[in-house]
Amino acid sequence: MNLPKDTAMLLSVVNMKLRDSYSSLSAFCEDNELSEEELCRTLEAAGYTYSAEKNRFE
């Protein structure tokens, strides 16, 4: 999957996919051949953290 470089767009796309198609961040990353650590690091640098309970970045 080719994700947006813009942080706001990245957050939006990832949260939409998590909400609509995936039960966890791990499943999303595995299915799309993405590094979970790198995705988290990118979004954490912009002030967002992943909530497993809510299955979204906040």
Side-chain angles (χ1 to χ4, degrees):
M1 169 177 253
N2 194 4
L3 293 173
K5 300 294 183 204
D6 178 76
T7 306
M9 290 299 296
L10 176 63
L11 176 68
S12 179
V13 168
V14 170
N15 277 344
M16 179 188 67
K17 292 288 189 181
L18 289 171
R19 180 190 69 227
D20 294 346
S21 305
Y22 295 94
S23 62
S24 70
L25 180 60
S26 296
F28 169 74
C29 289
E30 183 178 321
D31 194 44
N32 291 284
E33 298 179 355
L34 300 169
S35 166
E36 185 174 343
E37 295 79 20
E38 186 176 331
L39 179 59
C40 285
R41 200 169 31 248
T42 299
L43 289 172
E44 284 173 359
Y48 300 101
T49 56
Y50 178 69
S51 168
E53 181 180 298
K54 296 177 183 177
N55 191 34
R56 69 179 184 195
F57 283 89
E58 303 180 306

